[in-house]
Amino acid sequence: MSHAIRPETRRGRPPAGQSTLSRQAILGAAMDVVDGKGVEAVSMRTVARVLGVDPKSLYNHVENKDALLDGIAGLILSRMVVPDSCGGLREDLTAIARAFRGAALAEHPRAARLVLTRPVESLITLEPLEVALAAFLRAGASPEVAVHCLRTMLAFITGTLLREAEAAFTLALSDPDMATERQRTLEAVELPSVRAAAPHLAKCDHEQEFDFGLGLLIDALECRLG
Amino acid sequence: MSHAIRPETRRGRPPAGQSTLSRQAILGAAMDVVDGKGVEAVSMRTVARVLGVDPKSLYNHVENKDALLDGIAGLILSRMVVPDSCGGLREDLTAIARAFRGAALAEHPRAARLVLTRPVESLITLEPLEVALAAFLRAGASPEVAVHCLRTMLAFITGTLLREAEAAFTLALSDPDMATERQRTLEAVELPSVRAAAPHLAKCDHEQEFDFGLGLLIDALECRLG
DNA sequence: ACCTGAACACCGTTCAAGT
DNA sequence: ACCTGAACACCGTTCAAGT
């Protein structure tokens, strides 16, 4: 994951076979920046600095900054390991959902926003979709309904992971002290249901929420399809 | 929605009562920029230009750019009209979901990304949450389960609207010509389920997807609670 | 084919000096 | 209390000139 720093700047075409610069190297360096300092720290200049290269050189391999960001998102998704189908709708969907969560969040937590928030180069990610669609079809869905089911699942997962990445609306706070303070605030409010739910609103076990929602959704799908 | 342009720059404290600058005016101007040119066009400088003011003056009323962006998101959410509860779980949840969709997407489409993607100043948005929580409690949920249900709903809505705002992964393309081209591509792929579903994957009726997912989710909730 | 110097038109933000 | 000039440390990107 570390990338060599060039000892000195040099002008003109690099000696044959020595060009360290490539789209792949650039994406790797960009991933390093994301993992180390977050997405906001990614700039053509910081990425070039990691590689020991002039920022403008990047434009020989990457269209622009937006394409670079898309490239990172694509790279992460392409590393998603799709588990083999094992027959049951519930098992298959759970496995895919967890695989997606692993790729988008566990491996590169600081890149989650990027993966979830950018329309990614599509063909990279077809295999996971295939497995999910196959599961729906096998459960008796028409192709049209299977796509609806897929999109519902995907929306839920996206929203949940975005919350987990602290990039979406929540009342919950991850810091325990602030969470209890938040609870006090919510208990002092005039809205009765909010007040009753205050302890649960103030904190959030992401793992548990993920499982709850997923279970609920799969129940509904099984019910509608079978 | 239009904001006066100051005829000339002027230094020092403004004549009493004439200060046009205020947090509210700044947020209004920022909303104009978002609506007119998109979120990416928002900068301290562009917002100041709309107001005919020096960019640095904004810092007297707004902590920094991030706070400004959060302010916009909060403003939009605060304008969400919460429908009165009318008893049924299905009706109430549908109404709230549609209200959220209206506020986050219909009113200011170019700001959707902002609303969906930023942890918003919380107390603004408590009323809608109250209505939803009340519905879950009335349907027999414990406070803990009610919060789980709420979060599942919210995640689904967030993910769906993000897709609709073209800020999340889809295979579908809104341009009809590109959509049919995409369909051809998907039909040429080696994955059988993807191929079977190609026509439906290539396009997306957002309204319909929203209703499908919402219906599915509410089915599951009714089933689990009742 | 690939790199860089010079250059352009932008950013957010601080702080001291003005009224 | 509120505004701005001067200033700083950043951005993304183009293009022509180099090898």
Side-chain angles (χ1 to χ4, degrees), chain A residues 73-158:
Chain A
L75 191 63
I76 292 176
L77 275 185
S78 75
R79 299 218 263 249
M80 175 175 166
V81 194
V82 198
D84 282 332
S85 159
C86 50
L89 182 67
R90 167 162 259 110
E91 293 75 18
D92 281 359
L93 293 182
T94 307
I96 298 171
R98 307 204 77 84
F100 190 82
R101 184 167 185 258
L105 214 111
E107 298 293 326
H108 302 278
R110 315 189 75 164
R113 208 188 194 99
L114 218 53
V115 178
L116 298 171
T117 248
R118 301 208 143 231
V120 164
E121 201 186 322
S122 47
L123 302 182
I124 296 174
T125 29
L126 284 183
E127 293 96 46
L129 298 188
E130 169 69 21
V131 180
L133 284 172
F136 292 127
L137 294 173
R138 226 180 308 123
S142 68
E144 179 172 2
V145 169
V147 171
H148 290 322
C149 294
L150 177 66
R151 289 195 172 130
T152 303
M153 276 272 297
L154 232 39
F156 164 74
I157 295 177
T158 303

Side-chain angles (χ1 to χ4, degrees), chain A residues 48-67:
Chain A
R49 204 137 51 218
V50 169
L51 294 166
V53 151
D54 189 283
K56 294 176 255 63
S57 300
L58 305 186
Y59 288 92
N60 289 301
H61 304 90
V62 154
E63 202 179 26
N64 54 30
K65 189 186 172 180
D66 247 46

Side-chain angles (χ1 to χ4, degrees), chain B residues 122-200:
Chain B
S122 47
L123 303 182
I124 296 173
T125 29
L126 284 183
E127 294 97 44
L129 297 188
E130 169 68 21
V131 180
L133 284 171
F136 293 128
L137 294 172
R138 228 180 307 123
S142 68
E144 179 172 0
V145 169
V147 171
H148 290 323
C149 294
L150 176 67
R151 289 194 172 132
T152 303
M153 276 273 296
L154 232 39
F156 164 74
I157 295 176
T158 304
T160 305
L161 297 185
L162 214 52
R163 189 202 312 130
E164 194 165 349
E166 309 203 350
F169 169 76
T170 344
L171 294 174
L173 299 169
S174 44
D175 180 284
D177 289 350
M178 298 190 67
T180 67
E181 194 191 317
R182 171 62 51 89
Q183 183 182 335
R184 302 268 175 279
T185 312
L186 293 174
E187 277 165 346
V189 121
E190 283 173 43
L191 311 162
S193 308
V194 168
R195 212 161 45 209
H200 306 102

Side-chain angles (χ1 to χ4, degrees), chain B:
Chain B
M1 274 297 173
S2 72
H3 296 269
I5 291 189
R6 296 242 195 103
E8 49 188 54
T9 57
R10 194 225 40 257
R11 188 158 190 187
R13 175 180 197 167
Q18 291 212 24
S19 174
T20 58
L21 215 46
S22 68
R23 185 180 158 82
Q24 210 193 10
I26 291 170
L27 288 181
M31 281 279 353
D32 288 355
V33 175
V34 172
D35 286 339
K37 311 186 150 200
V39 194
E40 325 72 41
V42 175
S43 74
M44 300 307 270
R45 287 161 142 103
T46 52
V47 172
R49 205 137 50 217
V50 170
L51 293 166
V53 153
D54 188 283
K56 294 177 253 65
S57 300
L58 305 186
Y59 288 91
N60 288 300
H61 304 91
V62 153
E63 205 180 25
N64 53 30
K65 188 186 172 178
D66 248 44
L68 177 62
L69 259 17
D70 284 339
I72 300 175
L75 191 62
I76 291 176
L77 275 185
S78 75
R79 299 217 263 249
M80 175 176 167
V81 194
V82 198
D84 282 332
S85 159
C86 49
L89 183 65
R90 168 162 257 111
E91 293 74 19
D92 280 1
L93 293 182
T94 306
I96 298 170
R98 306 205 77 86
F100 190 81
R101 184 166 184 261
L105 215 108
E107 297 294 326
H108 301 278
R110 314 189 76 162
R113 209 189 193 98
L114 217 54
V115 177
L116 298 171
T117 249
R118 301 212 143 226
V120 164
E121 201 186 321
S122 47
L123 303 182
I124 296 173
T125 29
L126 284 183
E127 294 97 44
L129 297 188
E130 169 68 21
V131 180
L133 284 171
F136 293 128
L137 294 172
R138 228 180 307 123
S142 68
E144 179 172 0
V145 169
V147 171
H148 290 323
C149 294
L150 176 67
R151 289 194 172 132
T152 303
M153 276 273 296
L154 232 39
F156 164 74
I157 295 176
T158 304
T160 305
L161 297 185
L162 214 52
R163 189 202 312 130
E164 194 165 349
E166 309 203 350
F169 169 76
T170 344
L171 294 174
L173 299 169
S174 44
D175 180 284
D177 289 350
M178 298 190 67
T180 67
E181 194 191 317
R182 171 62 51 89
Q183 183 182 335
R184 302 268 175 279
T185 312
L186 293 174
E187 277 165 346
V189 121
E190 283 173 43
L191 311 162
S193 308
V194 168
R195 212 161 45 209
H200 306 102
L201 285 171
K203 58 184 165 42
C204 184
D205 179 333
H206 295 294
E207 189 88 21
Q208 194 186 343
E209 296 296 344
F210 190 77
D211 290 341
F212 178 93
L214 197 59
L216 195 70
L217 221 40
I218 296 178
D219 285 354
L221 292 170
E222 274 182 337
C223 190
R224 184 162 299 197
L225 298 177

Side-chain angles (χ1 to χ4, degrees), chain A residues 11-13 43-45 56 59 65:
Chain A
R11 188 160 190 187
R13 176 179 196 170
S43 74
M44 301 308 268
R45 287 160 143 102
K56 294 176 255 63
Y59 288 92
K65 189 186 172 180

